[in-house]
Each structure stands twice: as structure tokens, then as C-alpha cells.
Amino acid sequence: MPSPLPFLDVGPVLAWGVLVTAIAAVGMLLVSPRVLGWLPEPHDDPEAPHYASLATPPFVIVVAALSGVATGLAVSRTTPQLWLAWSALTTANVLACAIDARTTWLPARLSHAGWFVALAGTLLACGVNGSWWPLAAAAAGAVVVGGFFHLVWRFTGQLGYGDVRLAATIGAVTALSSASMVAWALLTGTLLGAVTGIVERARGRRGGFPYGPGLLAGAFVALLLPWA
């Protein structure tokens, strides 16, 4: 007997993927204003932003939409056992990078939240696989990518340390898929971040610029590459 609702007659993975994507988008729509009000301001800098002032309907809607798109991409291009780990990038770090785009600041608390979600997702992958290999791979990815950006931060002074924290999370999450995914995320993220800097300089911006959004976008571009 055919289903009375044919649009619901889909495979279980697709159905769960759609549900997870919807939950991410709606969740970010509801949670983002509270998180923005909860984040401590970096009081040691007189030019520090007021995160709570960002909690406007347009900003929150854009964050929720970006989170939904990022989640949809992640669940369509990875296996279900990796969805929780990728949610570190599609939720906490989407919000962090949206803040970065507006203020050039990447709040440390959101980076730390991304670390914990990525760790929880890695441990879930370990349990599903019955092996500690995902944890070893994620640790290696975090060290390699985070270490690379730490050196860039240390010797060039062109990045904020928030970018280093974000890079470590990207390295850990992409390493759960493959080493080539890490490499392509690093390459595309670096290129997109550099393009952002060039555009900002061309627009007359002096001082810091939002590198994080390009870096994070690189991870999702890597997901789209068939050879990554």
C-alpha cells in the first residue's frame, strides 16, 4: 500500500539527515541570542565588541540559515557516525565565524565548545567502530593543522589565536574522514582566508580582518571535492 505521504517515504539515513539539519537550523535560531548574551566580553581591549548587541533578528536568521546549510552538507557527504563531530563546525563554529565576520573576534568559549563537541563525536565514532583509531586520527589532525596555524600566528602576527583554535577543530574533524580531507580543508581554507584578507585590504580595512569564515568554509569546500 503506498504511503499517504509520499514525500516522507525516503530512506532512513536521508530522513535522519533531514531531521538533523532542521534541528540544527531551528536550534541555532533559538539558542544564538542566548549564547551571544552569555559570552563574556574581552574587556582587556578598549575596542572589544559587545557580543550581545549582535543578537538582532537579521544576524540570528543568517546564522541559523548558514548552520542549516552547513549541517545539510555535512550529513549528505559523511556517514552518520561522523555527524556529531561535524556538528562542532556546523553549529558552534558557524556562530563563532559569523561573529568574526562582524567583529574580527573569535570568542574562545565557542572554540572550546567546538572542541568538546568534536571530542564527543570522535568518541562516538570510536564506539561505533570498536576501535581507538578515530581518536588517534582526530588528535593527529588537530596537532598538524592547529600546529601549522600556531606557527603562522607565532611568526607572522597576521592571525588571531582564535583562528588557531578553529584550525585545530577543523583538523580534528576532517581527519575522521581521511588525510586527504585534512589536506584539502587546509589548502582551501588557507586560500579562502587569504582572499578574504585581500578583499578587506582592497576595501581599505587596516589592522585585523576576519580570517575565520574563510578557514571554516574551506572544510565544507573540501567535503564537496570528489577526490578529497
Side-chain angles (χ1 to χ4, degrees):
M1 179 177 178
S3 169
L5 298 174
F7 61 88
L8 294 179
D9 190 16
V10 296
V13 174
L14 177 59
W16 279 108
V18 171
L19 178 61
V20 168
T21 300
I23 289 173
V26 175
M28 291 299 287
L29 187 66
L30 298 176
V31 171
S32 293
R34 294 182 178 274
V35 173
L36 289 166
W38 164 75
L39 290 173
E41 312 291 349
H43 297 295
D44 56 336
D45 189 324
E47 298 182 359
H50 296 284
Y51 298 128
S53 67
L54 298 177
T56 61
F59 183 83
V60 172
I61 290 171
V62 168
V63 168
L66 290 174
S67 181
V69 170
T71 301
L73 181 58
V75 301
S76 67
R77 301 291 292 180
T78 64
T79 59
Q81 69 186 41
L82 300 183
W83 290 355
L84 179 59
W86 272 90
S87 72
L89 302 182
T90 65
T91 57
N93 282 301
V94 162
L95 177 57
C97 287
I99 294 172
D100 188 25
R102 289 287 299 274
T103 69
T104 73
W105 286 74
L106 275 165
R109 286 196 179 181
L110 287 176
S111 296
H112 297 159
W115 290 353
F116 285 118
V117 175
L119 176 59
T122 300
L123 294 176
L124 174 63
C126 289
V128 171
N129 286 279
S131 167
W132 289 106
W133 173 247
L135 183 61
V143 169
V144 170
V145 180
F148 171 77
F149 279 92
H150 175 83
L151 292 175
V152 174
W153 168 81
R154 176 68 176 80
F155 292 107
T156 70
Q158 297 300 307
L159 302 177
Y161 209 77
D163 299 310
V164 180
R165 299 187 191 100
L166 173 63
T169 310
I170 292 172
V173 172
T174 54
L176 293 172
S177 295
S178 67
S180 63
M181 180 75 74
V182 177
W184 282 106
L186 176 60
L187 176 61
T188 56
T190 301
L191 290 176
L192 290 172
V195 168
T196 301
I198 292 170
V199 170
E200 292 295 325
R201 290 291 183 267
R203 294 173 59 190
R205 180 191 287 269
R206 294 295 178 264
F209 64 90
Y211 190 88
L215 185 60
L216 182 63
F220 295 100
V221 172
L223 273 179
L224 291 171
L225 301 176
W227 54 82

